[in-house]
Amino acid sequence: IIFHVGTTTENLDRGNWSSNTDYLLSLIGYAVGLGNVWRFPYLAYKNGGGAFLIPYTIMLAFAGLPLFFLECSFGQFASLGPVSVWKAVPIMQGVGVTMVLVSTLVAIYYNCIIGYSIYYLFASFQFPLPWSDCFEWSDENCSTQPKEYCNITSANGSFVLVSSTWLNDNNATCEGSNIFSISVQSPSEQYWDKVALRRSSGLDESGGVIWHLALCLLLAWIIVGAALFKGIKSSGKVVYFTAIFPYVVLIILLIRGVTLEGAREGIEYYIGTHSDISKLSDAEVWKDAATQIFFSLGTACGGLVALSSYNKFNNNCYSDAIVICVTNCATSVFAGFAIFSVLGHIAYISHKPVSEVAQSGFGLAFIAYPEALSKLPISPLWSILFFFMLLTLGIDSQFAIIETITTALQDEFPKYLRSRRVLITVVACVVLYLLGLPCVTGAGIYWVNLIDHFCSGWVLVIAAVLELVGIIYIYGGNRFIKDIEMMIGKKNCYFWLWWRACWFFITPCLLTIILVWSLVTFSAPSYGPVLYPVWGTVLGWFILAFCIIWIPIFAVFNFAKAKGGILERFRQICSPTPDWGPYLECHRGERYKNQENMVRSEASGQSQKENVMSM
């Protein structure tokens, strides 16, 4: 039977990317996210500046890139999502379930962060910016300048505290030992806590739903749902804007930033003369480099497998992996220049060292950087650009996360769900929106931080280690390499020398060390000075356990489902199922010529019949 597959789609059952550019931009959008802007620059500054690039590059070569290439190849070869792809090693099917569960939890809190960005984007359409000064929402602890007092001796011999303003007005000076500083909060910090979040005192004081955040979260889910209503065919076009626009804004911010007074000092702190090579002797620096590489590339979340499963069989996944990994890391470094040039300026005008204004995560995105932008001419313009950039950075990562969930469901239940993509996408967005409502209460930021603390760390490292064990040691590394060569062509032994070394030994050892070190150095979650109650930490461990428990559950389930004695059942669940292999018969060749056909949905089966040209 010869099928007419057209110029863009060879897999009529599942569909393919309209072009390789759609796929590459989707992967860039997935891998390049908020962490590249608000986490990497601070990590580089904290861990030795330019010296941090040494462990960062080493970890990219030994951990990030090998895992990235492995997952892209795995999904592309079988044209299956992160759960069904484990037909290759049924005992490890639970690893795929764990990845999908983690993606589900990440989708819940990640869209809340996108909702924060949308709120700040709307708030930026006013002048002056609402966080530029201490307005009516602030309290007496709010100040745009540090409050310093001097203990002086009055004419009658008594001690009197006078402000720095009084000293300036009277041309007086104060000895350093007599200066007292009172802790104050900047307007941007109080705006974040009191206006945007309406943050409660802790996790156990939830308060009601913050409706402006709930509406922004709803808008975020509407955007995601609208972009995914036709799956990769629609999202693959949206990413032409969402994946490229952040680079335009970063370039604009960098050009503006380097023209500001103090920018040079900020960049020197980031990656210049303040670099400290001695930091490389600190194990924590290497751990930070490894975790940043691991998490910024999106490995072990199922997204790479899901997106790559829509590639054509002979797509060059090797070159794609190299391009995306290098682009991701270069973006992180480039973003740091845009961030620290502006932070250097605010340090200059505030008469503070850069170390006092540099922050990471929420503190950088919603406090330090907005404060810096509020001091620039035409501040609303810069603020709009920045938060629109955060929106686009987050939203295309969210596209891939939701696509991971829907792909996994459709591949597991193709007969019932594959022809109902729009319905599945709508239901997924509605359910995840409702599950995310606790994250837009007064205690919402604590929930976001808790899920991030437990679900984007150890679970993914455990899944990655087991993924390597399953594919390289159980399925067989040499067999997997032959599968890849069916797609990208035969390569000589020298080509595979590096990948064999990483897959068989270096990468699993590195990830195991990261996991052990993370457990040894575990600290209870906190948000700034607010410590979590014991039940909150326990709940976090339960969330982590809930994600992992499916690995042994599915191993036992598949063992019980197998036939024969104990050894025979164990052999079966450690061997590929009869229908494992390339999805389309025309790609199976001699190695998979006896492969059983996969179950197809009725709609896709009819579609295949309609495209028969001759027999």
Side-chain angles (χ1 to χ4, degrees), residues 494-511:
Y494 299 106
F495 176 88
W496 294 111
L497 191 61
W498 172 262
W499 302 107
R500 287 179 193 272
C502 290
W503 288 339
F504 279 85
F505 180 71
I506 299 174
T507 306
C509 287
L510 271 177
L511 294 179

Side-chain angles (χ1 to χ4, degrees), residues 53-121:
L53 295 181
I54 297 174
Y56 186 70
T57 304
I58 291 173
M59 290 303 173
L60 169 65
F62 286 104
L65 187 53
L67 265 176
F68 198 96
F69 180 33
L70 179 141
E71 292 192 14
C72 290
S73 303
F74 198 35
Q76 179 175 309
F77 179 75
S79 296
L80 292 172
V83 177
S84 298
V85 77
W86 287 103
K87 291 178 179 182
V89 193
I91 194 174
M92 291 293 182
Q93 187 180 14
V95 174
V97 176
T98 293
M99 292 178 176
V100 173
L101 286 175
V102 171
S103 291
T104 303
L105 290 169
V106 170
I108 292 172
Y109 83 80
Y110 204 75
N111 232 28
C112 291
I113 300 173
I114 295 171
Y116 300 157
S117 302
I118 292 174
Y119 173 77
Y120 268 78
L121 176 62

Side-chain angles (χ1 to χ4, degrees), residues 92 95 98-99 294-295 300 454 457-470 511-512 514-516 519 541 544-545 547-549 551-552:
M92 291 293 182
V95 174
T98 293
M99 292 178 176
F294 183 73
F295 300 128
F454 282 96
W458 304 318
V459 180
L460 298 182
V461 179
I462 292 170
V465 171
L466 292 178
E467 181 179 47
L468 285 166
V469 170
L511 294 179
T512 302
I514 293 170
L515 177 61
V516 173
L519 291 171
W541 283 107
L544 186 149
C547 293
I548 296 176
I549 195 66
I551 298 174

Side-chain angles (χ1 to χ4, degrees), residues 17 19-31 68 239-240 243 307 311 315-317 319-324 327:
W17 295 101
S19 68
N20 187 245
T21 305
D22 290 13
Y23 169 66
L24 288 176
L25 288 177
S26 295
L27 269 190
I28 290 173
Y30 174 55
F68 198 96
V239 293
Y240 276 81
L307 295 179
N311 277 336
N315 176 66
N316 192 339
C317 51
S319 62
D320 289 347
I322 300 291
V323 168
I324 300 303
T327 300

Side-chain angles (χ1 to χ4, degrees), residues 127-275:
F127 183 82
L129 291 173
W131 54 84
S132 61
D133 206 342
C134 299
F135 295 112
E136 68 280 355
W137 41 261
S138 62
D139 60 26
E140 67 280 356
N141 200 35
C142 177
S143 176
T144 56
Q145 299 292 333
K147 289 184 178 180
E148 293 183 344
Y149 293 88
C150 181
N151 190 6
I152 65 172
T153 304
S154 65
N156 60 9
S158 61
F159 292 103
V160 179
L161 283 178
V162 296
S163 66
S164 55
T165 304
W166 185 91
L167 292 174
N168 292 331
D169 292 342
N170 291 273
N171 294 321
T173 59
C174 185
E175 295 183 8
S177 59
N178 291 329
I179 296 177
F180 298 90
S181 296
I182 297 179
S183 177
V184 296
Q185 290 180 308
S186 66
S188 61
E189 184 177 357
Q190 287 211 350
Y191 185 85
W192 168 243
D193 285 335
K194 294 179 175 294
V195 181
L197 297 181
R198 297 184 186 175
R199 179 165 66 91
S200 66
S201 60
L203 188 64
D204 42 10
E205 184 190 346
S206 63
V209 172
I210 310 302
W211 287 107
H212 62 259
L213 290 182
L215 292 173
C216 290
L217 178 62
L218 177 62
L219 179 57
W221 279 116
I222 290 173
I223 295 172
V224 171
L228 290 171
F229 79 105
K230 286 188 177 179
I232 59 170
K233 296 297 184 182
S234 53
S235 67
K237 302 307 176 188
V238 176
V239 293
Y240 276 81
F241 175 75
T242 58
I244 294 174
F245 181 76
Y247 290 96
V248 176
V249 176
L250 283 175
I251 292 171
I252 294 172
L253 290 176
L254 176 61
I255 293 173
R256 183 67 183 101
V258 296
T259 62
L260 298 171
E261 290 183 292
R264 180 184 179 87
E265 184 68 11
I267 293 174
E268 294 286 4
Y269 262 88
Y270 167 51
I271 211 165
T273 56
H274 289 274
S275 297

